[in-house]
Amino acid sequence: MRGKDLIDGMGFVDERFIHEADSNGVSNLGKIRSVGTGNRHFLGRRWIAAVAVIAICCTLSVPVLAAKVPAFYEGLYAISPAMAQFFKPVQISCEDNGVRMEVTAAYIHENTAEVYISMQDLEGSRFDETIDLFDSYSIKTPFDSTAHCQPAGYDPETKTATFLLTIEQWNEQKIEGEKLTFSVREFLSNKHKYEGIISDAALAEAQSNPTTQIVEPRGFSGEVCIAEDRDSAAQTGMVVLKAEKILASPVDGAAITGVGYIGGNLHVQAYYENIAKTDNHGFLSLRNKESGEMIACSGSISFFDEECCGSYQDYIFTDIPAEALDDYELYGEFVVSDGLVAGNWSVTFPLKEGKLPQ
Amino acid sequence: MDDGKIIELFMLRDEAAIEETDAAYGAKLHRIAANILYNREDAEESVNDTYLKAWNAIPPQKPVHFFAYLSQICRRIALGKLDWNHAEKRSAVIVELTSEMESCIPDRSLEFEMTGEELGKLLNCFLGGLSRPSRVIFMRRYWYADSIQEIAARYGFSESKVKTQLHRTRKKLYDFLESEGVYR
């Protein structure tokens, strides 16, 4: 799903919300803001005194709290990103769990900043060119912005991976001099990719009456699944294959655990080990043996195993009758990894061009 | 003319209904369409199409909130005219809004598909749980496509207050979508 879909989805919100936002003028919101402001003269003095005390306390303690207490910084950032970043002390590099993170260079133009950040493995060989920050990074700015991070290179000699952060301020204002915090909690690397025919999984042996189970899905996609009522699916569950044995294991960390027909649709089930720590994932298709035509699944249902650690995924193919299965072979694409490395890396730096001072 | 009387004209199949609707809401509808589209002609066409759809739908429909009803139609028509595949043909406002909304969607490898109607249901739950000021500001930004400056001026807030409020609401939407299993 993309931002466009959310914009489209907004077109289906209840009319009372549209009416409310149209009819709510200054006065109505003003009333909400001014509730409880009776006896303004007396309360005014007390407020001034209270604000003065708070201001003095804040001036003295906020920089220390922002630097030393992550929860305080996070709380302050939720209230005022600009203030949180103002008080956050500059730290160009940091080290944890044998990995050093460092801001290496920045390029600022108008409302956009491009910043290079390196991560060097000081202890072993836990990196390779497949390094991935596993969506565990955060970019905090004092202004509203869109930002993203992408791998920019890997040097095997120094065991250093470089990432490029791109930050764009929304209001087309210059951002040079503003302070930014980039944090990473974990990364994945040493990923292996497998792609090809899974010859061990005999589609022809697909069961017409396989053992099934009803599961609470952790996710589902495709028209064949969306056709089901989403609310009732979440409450009553969805019917999938029950894994009984491993039919094929094309790569460590992923396996085929079932093939059978449910409600006239072909289900092929894959199992991915320890997804929270490996991000193992894949995709199954059918390939016509004669024409080479690839048939993508019409939808899929994924659900956790009993330990809520690994994940099963039923890939559903419609319009493939059992009699025609001999004409097809199973084609898989899998990405598996050795596991993640966790740590606490965070750098805070002012946005200015060139190599930053250490 | 008030909404009740205009709707009465629609019910009686009196073409004056269109003129009265245009007099009452033409400018506001035009603004909604123009905020989404990149040119005036397309915006005008969207407003005219809105009147035609309303004419065909009332009766049997009898809207409770007439402007909300019309603007809902107008917004959908305008979005339908938008060329999503060509950035240069999208208005700067809609590019900005799309990018802001993008940041509300949790990122996972699993692709999740939903229809606009299903998303609308979820968004209704989300909006219903917000405080009124948060909801109104969110709607002004992402439904009416108002700029930060316009919202600030409308409610007498500072721009930074509006930005902070929107930032918090977007964060809440991110958490809400994640709890509902809706991913990018």
Side-chain angles (χ1 to χ4, degrees):
Chain A
M1 192 175 68
R2 315 302 301 177
K4 168 195 172 299
D5 302 318
L6 266 184
I7 295 279
D8 282 346
M10 285 293 290
F12 292 89
V13 300
D14 202 296
E15 280 177 13
R16 68 194 152 99
F17 297 137
I18 302 165
H19 178 69
E20 179 186 56
D22 180 55
S23 58
N24 240 331
V26 177
S27 58
N28 281 350
L29 273 193
K31 276 179 196 163
I32 293 165
R33 285 187 295 157
S34 62
V35 164
T37 54
N39 197 359
R40 298 173 71 102
H41 182 68
F42 174 68
L43 285 175
R45 286 185 182 175
R46 291 180 65 177
W47 269 110
I48 291 166
V51 168
V53 170
I54 291 167
I56 292 166
C57 292
C58 285
T59 308
L60 297 175
S61 59
V62 166
V64 178
L65 289 170
K68 303 287 182 194
V69 184
F72 179 81
Y73 167 70
E74 294 294 337
L76 188 60
Y77 189 84
I79 298 164
S80 170
M83 191 183 287
Q85 287 309 106
F86 177 77
F87 284 118
K88 185 87 172 162
V90 170
Q91 187 184 5
I92 303 296
S93 64
C94 68
E95 199 176 310
D96 190 29
N97 196 8
V99 175
R100 178 182 169 82
M101 184 159 88
E102 190 178 337
V103 185
T104 52
Y107 171 53
I108 318 289
H109 45 105
E110 299 297 326
N111 67 327
T112 303
E114 291 173 331
V115 182
Y116 285 93
I117 290 191
S118 67
M119 289 184 83
Q120 184 179 21
D121 190 350
L122 303 171
E123 290 180 356
S125 299
R126 292 169 291 179
F127 291 179
D128 65 10
E129 65 284 354
T130 65
I131 188 168
D132 169 355
L133 297 182
F134 200 29
D135 294 338
S136 77
Y137 68 87
S138 76
I139 299 169
K140 291 201 162 86
T141 62
F143 43 79
D144 285 336
S145 60
T146 49
H148 66 273
C149 170
Q150 64 193 83
Y154 174 73
D155 179 1
E157 280 187 20
T158 58
K159 298 170 189 169
T160 302
T162 304
F163 297 90
L164 170 63
L165 308 189
T166 307
I167 306 111
E168 191 175 342
Q169 203 260 6
W170 285 345
N171 294 333
E172 302 288 322
Q173 290 167 5
K174 288 191 173 180
I175 54 176
E176 189 150 12
E178 302 281 10
K179 229 187 291 174
L180 184 145
T181 298
F182 177 71
S183 309
V184 175
R185 291 193 323 274
E186 50 202 30
F187 62 82
L188 275 177
S189 196
N190 297 321
K191 289 195 223 169
H192 315 289
K193 193 171 181 186
Y194 171 88
E195 187 173 348
I197 301 294
I198 306 169
S199 50
D200 300 340
L203 286 177
E205 289 174 23
Q207 299 175 52
S208 54
N209 287 305
T211 311
T212 61
Q213 58 183 334
I214 295 173
V215 297
E216 185 184 328
R218 73 175 182 87
F220 54 91
S221 65
E223 57 190 26
V224 67
C225 299
I226 296 296
E228 295 194 30
D229 181 73
R230 189 173 187 277
D231 294 334
S232 69
Q235 283 168 11
T236 60
M238 298 176 94
V239 183
V240 295
L241 296 172
K242 186 167 177 61
E244 287 175 330
K245 62 176 181 178
I246 291 176
L247 303 177
S249 188
V251 62
D252 281 349
I256 304 299
T257 52
V259 184
Y261 278 87
I262 302 176
N265 294 327
L266 175 68
H267 283 229
V268 183
Q269 188 180 71
Y271 176 70
Y272 301 106
E273 277 175 21
N274 200 3
I275 57 163
K277 291 190 175 173
T278 60
D279 195 33
N280 288 354
H281 61 278
F283 194 77
L284 293 178
S285 318
L286 297 179
R287 183 175 174 277
N288 189 299
K289 290 176 187 168
E290 271 192 21
S291 65
E293 184 195 4
M294 299 290 283
I295 311 282
C297 66
S298 305
S300 73
I301 303 167
S302 55
F303 56 100
F304 280 114
D305 62 11
E306 283 178 2
E307 289 78 32
C308 281
C309 178
S311 175
Y312 290 95
Q313 190 155 0
D314 270 33
Y315 296 87
I316 306 168
F317 299 87
T318 53
D319 304 323
I320 306 285
E323 313 83 73
L325 261 186
D326 267 348
D327 299 339
Y328 295 93
E329 50 198 355
L330 195 59
Y331 189 88
E333 295 163 66
F334 302 103
V335 178
V336 294
S337 82
D338 293 347
L340 58 83
V341 176
N344 183 16
W345 302 280
S346 182
V347 286
T348 297
F349 53 97
L351 290 172
K352 56 183 178 184
E353 202 150 336
K355 184 164 170 60
L356 292 155
Q358 301 301 299
Chain B
M1 190 179 281
D2 68 35
D3 288 356
K5 286 180 182 162
I6 299 176
I7 291 169
E8 195 60 42
L9 292 175
F10 273 98
M11 295 304 218
L12 295 168
R13 311 309 291 156
D14 184 338
E15 287 180 12
I18 304 293
E19 283 169 37
E20 293 298 339
T21 305
D22 190 50
Y25 298 121
K28 285 167 85 173
L29 291 173
H30 190 277
R31 188 167 170 279
I32 289 172
N35 270 355
I36 293 168
L37 295 162
Y38 64 99
N39 77 31
R40 203 174 56 177
E41 288 76 21
D42 281 355
E44 260 171 32
E45 201 176 277
S46 299
V47 175
N48 289 333
D49 289 351
T50 302
Y51 296 150
L52 181 65
K53 284 223 168 196
W55 179 257
N56 290 333
I58 311 171
Q61 288 178 15
K62 194 172 182 183
V64 179
H65 304 298
F66 187 46
F67 173 67
Y69 173 84
L70 292 172
S71 55
Q72 188 88 294
I73 298 173
C74 183
R75 187 177 182 278
R76 278 187 210 155
I77 290 172
L79 283 171
K81 284 183 189 295
L82 206 61
D83 192 340
W84 289 100
N85 297 320
H86 294 93
E88 70 276 16
K89 289 191 175 179
R90 278 181 266 148
S91 78
V93 174
I94 213 74
V95 170
E96 189 176 293
L97 292 183
T98 310
S99 139
E100 286 176 29
M101 279 302 216
E102 192 91 26
S103 69
C104 299
I105 309 168
D107 200 358
R108 293 285 187 281
S109 55
L110 183 70
E111 185 78 15
F112 201 99
E113 292 172 27
M114 292 184 88
T115 64
E117 217 158 334
E118 286 167 333
L119 256 180
K121 275 187 196 170
L122 274 184
L123 287 167
N124 277 334
C125 294
F126 170 73
L127 289 168
L130 290 177
S131 68
R132 199 162 62 146
S134 304
R135 182 168 59 234
V136 166
I137 290 173
F138 187 84
M139 286 294 290
R140 291 302 322 177
R141 180 72 177 145
Y142 299 109
W143 202 96
Y144 288 93
D146 282 355
S147 67
I148 303 285
Q149 292 85 341
E150 284 168 329
I151 299 169
R154 184 181 176 93
Y155 298 116
F157 293 147
S158 66
E159 285 182 28
S160 65
K161 183 183 169 82
V162 174
K163 282 183 197 170
T164 308
Q165 184 69 61
L166 285 169
H167 178 82
R168 282 190 220 159
T169 311
R170 283 197 303 271
K171 173 78 175 67
K172 281 183 188 167
L173 178 57
Y174 180 101
D175 293 341
F176 175 80
L177 292 175
E178 191 168 50
S179 72
E180 291 292 322
V182 178
Y183 300 121
R184 186 170 289 187

